[in-house]
């Protein structure tokens, strides 16, 4: 499948003289590696969201800050769009290339500059892998908290661009909560520092604004992240339920009991069976839904919290509650969860991963709604998600080779996201908007709000050269897509009537 | 003392026809209370920072959203600057009026719209007092965490504008970390929602950008804050030290031990004696410095943490460590700290409060530097601050009636803030930049960074009508002030040589 970036609707891309650009790049940066043959470019045609594919005009692989600066200045002068890419693990097509733009691959900026145990921070280049930071900090009993499932491969620069989350975000926050400082280059090659080494910075909070801006405001060239002390102890409970709704209610009960678990994840029968077949984690394949609840901290507290959570789970109707008997089993329990996406990939030719976030209290209603929509559209949906944050990942199973199934999957996905918005939630929790959810942004925001986003974008990048066509839709696109703005359930949404 | 807003340097204020504005306001909003006589206007000439005073052109006291919207549209049409004000407790002159502008007082928006114990949030109008939220949530065993010392009087709208902190921010974060959603009106009266009821929102993080923007991007009309469960138990330890440096090192040791106290405050001899004379809190008046360390959470943990902290404090050289024997003493210990500013006000005709934030590890060096600067300028400095966050509040004692003392105090204050910037810190932790620290912004940021701030401001308020002349200096001002940008100690700073 090869869906081209919709140039007609957004109409922001100037026509670029590829030959002229290549010539000027070679002259200005003779040492820069440039990929330009079809064969070389093909592997870069998509990121982790393979449903969209576009072969970029050129792929550039810089190794030094000065190279990036020169590239940006040159592209700015020639009005060439620039899409930045880290490890290419993104799930919303944020790093999807443009036919008329360069792909700026930051993977070679992979140096850990400093681990500072006293100040509890790490200063790293953007291409450093998420897990590598924790590995480098491990000798000091420190770690970097956000842990996307792709943490073995994804880069910290990409994490900043997408404001990545992970299973431990409920307790430790998203990427934005774990950053001190980011160095960036703007579209015209200016070098700026956002944030500071102290806990607060004066002026507008550009660090928070930048985090999650999906490569539209600047290129990350250095990141200073906070490091946390490793919890003394971590235990995980696995609870089985006879229905997803009961499991959803149990989540609310745990939080209501004043406990903040290190992780609180839910999987329904379809996803837990897929994971079990793949990883043999020891999951209860007869359960309609299961919860994984991790407690971490000081040994004595963890012990006490485990007992309290077990009581809450049983009162909430868990048919069985198991404590991982040792560290090996704990790791296995998590391995099943972290591999749930590829596991579902084994039972369906294609799947489409949603990333809606809802107020936690709406979990049971939304799970029921997804179930109804699944029946209505005739497609299976596997639910596996960060229950504690209300960050859902319904996986829509389909077969792209069956005529009409892709379109049906996309339509179902759109309905699910609109349902999330209608209950006061949002269309993305941690994967970003990228190319994939750009139409749903029209449901999330009013035209005044979208206009403001564009004005903020223009403050950083007046020429609109950085990652155009992602994240923020044009008003024109929203008009074509249909007037969809749903203000927290105030506009009619038939599914909601029945909840 | 009556220092006028420096119109010459910033030159952004148009000349306004006061009579015409008054006429149009009365026609459009016959029910709106308007203060316009000198007698009525005088009480609004300053906020909590009384060193700067300007009588506003008009004071408006709206009660409904529609009134605010009409006021903004009218001011926009007539190009009249608008300064918003909550309770007027701000400490950096953020709500300092303009001679040629209206003062928009939001104090009458004082309704608590909803306390939602299940969703753990409160929806309130901007004029609601900080403490009133916790009081309304108390029946559900919930509270709102950020607690500025002025919490009995300050409004949540002002807290959002200044990204207010408090003694518990080390553990629970600043205002920005405790918000879900803010409703605003832009300069031209558009109504926007920033953030969502879910834990993350797509698009750029405008909620974080807006928080702490000091009334320059829009007017807050409604705030949804997170509520937290009240800690089961809270105990406070008071430790005495023979030097401020030893106390500074003990702070780092506590954090290094992996303990996150609910509050961790330091007071030096000058400030603790002033507080003791005023409040009779039971402070050790012979100590060179003292630390207050509060541990909160589940009963068993608090008990254990107290023991661990006591050991750390003793190893760090504390001459005495006392546990508040009961709740009454705990409250008294905090009352002394929370009244430290007025207490210092009793021992000096005037004082000037700084709000620099530094990386925690730099505490001993910066305390030593402040001591040297104090001797050099011949003015006493009392240190009382949020040690755990590295957020310092040096109070410079002076007598404005002694010729030259104010100027010397200001010069000393500027040196202290530059010292904070030079060690990688910032010129404000929680009080904001406002009018007071606008020159020091030139030290904190490069001209590229300041230009970007202005572009972001223009994205929200192209005409520059909201609180002009605060928070972000013009490049012209920085040029007049002198080229001061200090990039984290990289530029020469003589005091640093000796540290």
């Amino acid at each position: 499948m090869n869906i081209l970036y919709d140039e007609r609707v957004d109409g922001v891309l100037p026509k670029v003289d590829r030959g002229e650009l290549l010539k000027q790049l070679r002259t200005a940066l003779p040492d820069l590696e440039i990929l330009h043959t079809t064969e070389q470019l093909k592997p870069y045609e998509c990121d982790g969201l393979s449903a969209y594919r576009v072969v970029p005009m050129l792929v550039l692989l810089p190794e030094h800050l000065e190279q990036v600066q020169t590239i940006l200045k040159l592209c700015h002068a020639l009005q060439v769009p620039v899409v930045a890419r880290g490890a290419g693990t993104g799930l919303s097509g944020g790093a999807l290339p443009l036919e008329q733009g360069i792909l700026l691959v930051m993977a070679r900026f992979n140096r850990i500059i400093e681990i500072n145990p006293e100040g509890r921070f790490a200063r790293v280049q953007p291409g450093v892998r998420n897990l590598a930071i924790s590995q480098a900090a491990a000798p000091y009993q420190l770690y970097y908290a956000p842990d996307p499932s792709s943490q073995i491969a994804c880069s910290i620069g990409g994490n900043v661009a997408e404001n990545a989350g992970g299973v431990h975000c409920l307790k430790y926050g998203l990427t934005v909560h774990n950053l001190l400082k980011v160095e960036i280059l703007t579209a015209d090659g200016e070098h700026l520092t956002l944030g500071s080494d102290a806990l607060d910075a004066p002026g507008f909070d550009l660090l928070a604004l930048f985090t999650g801006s999906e490569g539209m405001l600047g290129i990350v060239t250095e990141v200073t992240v906070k490091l946390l002390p490793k919890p003394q102890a971590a235990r995980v409970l696995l609870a089985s339920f006879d229905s997803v709704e009961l499991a959803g209610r149990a989540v609310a009960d745990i939080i209501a009991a004043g406990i903040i678990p290190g992780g609180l994840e839910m999987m329904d029968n379809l996803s837990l069976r897929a994971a079990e077949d793949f990883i043999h984690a020891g999951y209860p394949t007869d359960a309609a839904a299961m919860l994984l609840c991790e407690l971490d901290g000081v040994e004595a507290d963890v012990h006490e919290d485990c007992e309290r959570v077990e009581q809450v789970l049983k009162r909430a109707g868990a048919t069985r509650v198991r404590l991982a008997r040792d560290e090996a089993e704990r790791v296995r329990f998590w391995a099943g969860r972290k591999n749930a996406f590829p596991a579902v990939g084994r039972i369906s030719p294609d799947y489409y991963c949603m990333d809606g976030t809802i107020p936690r209290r709406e979990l049971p209603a939304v799970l029921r709604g997804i179930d109804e929509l699944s029946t209505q559209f005739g497609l299976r949906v596997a639910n596996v998600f960060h229950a504690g944050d209300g960050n859902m990942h319904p996986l829509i199973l389909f077969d792209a080779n069956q005529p009409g199934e892709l379109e049906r999957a996309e339509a179902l996905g759109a309905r699910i996201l609109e349902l999330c918005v209608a209950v006061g939630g949002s269309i993305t929790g941690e994967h970003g908007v990228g190319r994939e959810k750009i139409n749903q942004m029209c449901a999330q925001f009013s035209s005044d709000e979208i206009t403001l986003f564009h004005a903020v974008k223009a403050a950083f990048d007046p020429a609109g050269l950085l990652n155009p066509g992602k994240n923020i839709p044009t008003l024109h696109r929203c008009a074509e897509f249909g007037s969809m703005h749903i203000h927290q359930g105030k506009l009619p949404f038939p599914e909601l009537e029945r909840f």
Side-chain angles (χ1 to χ4, degrees), chain A residues 19-40:
Chain A
E20 178 62 25
L21 175 64
L22 194 54
K23 198 182 85 189
Q24 291 204 24
L25 279 168
R26 282 179 170 153
T27 311
L29 299 165
D31 295 336
L32 174 68
E33 184 165 5
I34 304 176
L35 308 182
H36 58 96
T37 68
T38 312
E39 203 162 68
Q40 288 173 324

Side-chain angles (χ1 to χ4, degrees), chain A residues 126-159:
Chain A
V128 169
R129 290 173 304 108
N130 173 297
L131 191 61
I133 302 174
S134 291
Q135 285 167 342
Y140 308 101
Q141 303 304 313
L142 298 170
Y143 78 116
Y144 173 64
D147 58 343
S149 292
S150 58
Q151 71 181 136
I152 196 168
C154 65
S155 69
I156 189 71
N159 288 180

Side-chain angles (χ1 to χ4, degrees), chain A residues 174-440:
Chain A
L174 298 163
T175 302
V176 69
H177 304 112
N178 291 276
L179 294 178
L180 279 174
K181 203 169 66 175
V182 171
E183 307 269 331
I184 67 162
L185 289 174
T186 58
D188 54 357
E190 263 171 23
H191 188 207
L192 303 178
T193 301
L194 313 180
S196 80
D197 290 331
L199 289 182
D200 191 23
F204 304 136
D205 191 348
L206 300 187
L207 176 60
L209 175 68
F210 188 89
T211 309
S213 63
E214 305 194 1
M216 296 188 78
L217 304 184
I219 308 295
V220 180
T221 58
E222 193 183 297
V223 185
T224 305
V225 300
K226 296 180 195 167
L227 298 176
L228 295 181
K230 273 196 207 170
Q232 228 181 63
R235 301 237 180 98
V236 67
L237 290 159
L238 190 163
S240 309
F241 290 87
D242 282 341
S243 81
V244 287
E245 282 177 65
L246 280 174
R249 284 222 182 87
V251 169
D253 291 349
I254 290 171
I255 305 292
I259 298 160
I260 305 286
L264 183 50
E265 300 284 307
M266 190 195 290
M267 296 170 80
D268 68 4
N269 180 267
L270 192 52
S271 57
L272 76 87
R273 267 193 297 130
E276 181 60 22
D277 285 349
F278 184 31
I279 299 291
H280 311 293
Y283 289 170
T285 49
D286 56 339
M290 59 170 255
L291 288 181
L292 282 177
C293 179
E294 178 157 302
L295 288 316
D296 62 6
V298 181
E299 184 65 47
D301 310 357
V302 171
H303 182 75
E304 199 186 297
D305 283 351
C306 276
E307 286 179 358
R308 288 174 64 208
V309 169
E310 186 167 349
Q311 285 164 18
V312 172
L313 288 167
K314 286 187 170 157
R315 267 203 306 274
T319 52
R320 197 175 164 210
V321 182
R322 277 174 59 197
L323 180 69
R325 84 182 78 89
D326 53 23
E327 182 62 12
E329 191 170 59
R330 188 185 77 86
V331 169
R332 212 155 52 236
F333 280 179
W334 281 120
R337 165 61 189 89
K338 291 206 175 186
N339 287 286
F341 289 10
V344 168
R346 294 170 76 238
I347 61 165
S348 175
D350 298 279
Y351 71 84
Y352 188 39
C353 171
M354 306 281 93
D355 175 43
T357 298
I358 56 170
R360 209 161 31 217
R361 65 187 179 283
E362 305 287 352
L363 269 178
V366 171
L367 286 168
R368 201 159 59 235
I370 290 175
D371 194 44
E372 289 189 22
L373 287 168
S374 162
T375 308
Q376 191 182 320
F377 281 79
L379 291 172
R380 291 184 299 169
V381 178
N383 281 295
V384 44
F385 57 93
H386 311 311
D389 321 36
N391 183 193
M392 314 188 63
H393 292 314
L395 301 174
I396 301 171
L397 278 52
F398 69 101
D399 182 351
N401 288 324
Q402 298 298 317
E405 281 217 357
L406 167 65
E407 292 69 23
R408 222 156 71 234
E410 285 188 325
L412 170 54
R415 292 298 282 168
I416 290 175
L417 292 184
E418 286 155 20
L419 175 59
C420 292
V421 176
V423 300
S426 91
I427 59 169
T428 173
E430 55 180 14
H431 296 172
V433 174
R435 172 62 186 79
E436 181 196 35
K437 277 162 289 198
I438 196 153
N439 289 338
Q440 279 70 48

